[in-house]
Amino acid sequence: ITLQMEWIEEFLNNYSKILDSLCLSIILGILGIAITIFTVVYSFMENTREKIRKYKKEINHSPREVNPITKSNLMFAEKYWLNMRRINNMLLWIIIPDIFLFICFVISQLSGILILSFSSYLLTAVLFSYSLIVVFIYIYDYCHNYRNFA
């Protein structure tokens, strides 16, 4: 019986190490990808905001009737900017909890508190699920808005 108990204890210890490594990889992977996408989308937002300013200035300073193409470009740019802002807001809801989760994970590993480790595992699964939902929303938006655009 002691041989079986030792084997079970060794199995659980090895499983915990594998789970810790996997959990840390998921946390850091999601964080890196989310921050990268956030910065790219933010740069698109800044470029679009400059276009919006240019179109508004052109519309406001036009002495005669405003060009309909300029109005159309302005409406498209504003819609695009709002869509990018929505995407970045979803990404912030991944980045901020991910940083918090990383801190909790490090604390659980340093302190050895078992309940904190299990909480980190559970929260990692929730964060991973939410990240998948955001990816599916992004893909749906792409297919719905831009796939048959040209």
Side-chain angles (χ1 to χ4, degrees):
I1 292 180
T2 41
L3 186 60
Q4 287 178 337
M5 292 300 285
E6 288 175 12
W7 182 83
I8 291 172
E9 185 177 330
E10 182 180 336
F11 173 77
L12 290 176
N13 196 15
N14 288 337
Y15 182 74
S16 176
K17 288 179 185 176
I18 292 170
L19 197 57
D20 288 345
S21 175
L22 179 65
C23 191
L24 184 60
S25 297
I26 290 172
I27 291 170
L28 292 177
I30 289 174
L31 183 62
I33 292 168
I35 288 174
T36 301
I37 295 172
F38 181 86
T39 56
V40 169
V41 170
Y42 183 76
S43 71
F44 290 160
M45 288 175 66
E46 284 298 313
N47 289 336
T48 305
R49 186 164 43 179
E50 286 304 314
K51 287 180 185 178
I52 290 171
R53 286 182 185 149
K54 183 183 97 174
Y55 294 141
K56 284 185 177 181
K57 185 177 181 181
E58 192 175 316
I59 289 171
N60 290 337
H61 292 18
S62 178
R64 45 193 148 91
E65 189 172 320
V66 179
N67 185 353
I69 294 174
T70 305
K71 279 185 177 180
S72 174
N73 287 340
L74 176 63
M75 287 177 23
F76 178 77
E78 288 175 336
K79 182 179 177 185
Y80 180 78
W81 189 86
L82 289 173
N83 192 28
M84 291 295 108
R85 187 178 75 175
R86 184 176 65 92
I87 290 170
N88 259 6
N89 284 339
M90 287 189 289
L91 287 170
L92 277 177
W93 280 102
I94 292 175
I95 293 170
I96 293 170
D98 201 334
I99 292 170
F100 173 74
L101 183 58
F102 176 72
I103 292 169
C104 288
F105 184 80
V106 169
I107 290 171
S108 73
Q109 294 302 306
L110 293 176
S111 67
I113 299 173
L114 196 58
I115 191 72
L116 198 54
S117 292
F118 288 130
S119 298
S120 295
Y121 300 152
L122 179 65
L123 291 174
T124 300
V126 170
L127 181 68
F128 184 73
S129 301
Y130 179 70
S131 299
L132 286 177
I133 290 169
V134 170
V135 167
F136 288 132
I137 289 171
Y138 182 76
I139 290 171
Y140 173 79
D141 279 353
Y142 168 76
C143 290
H144 187 261
N145 292 329
Y146 300 107
R147 188 169 179 204
N148 297 320
F149 189 67

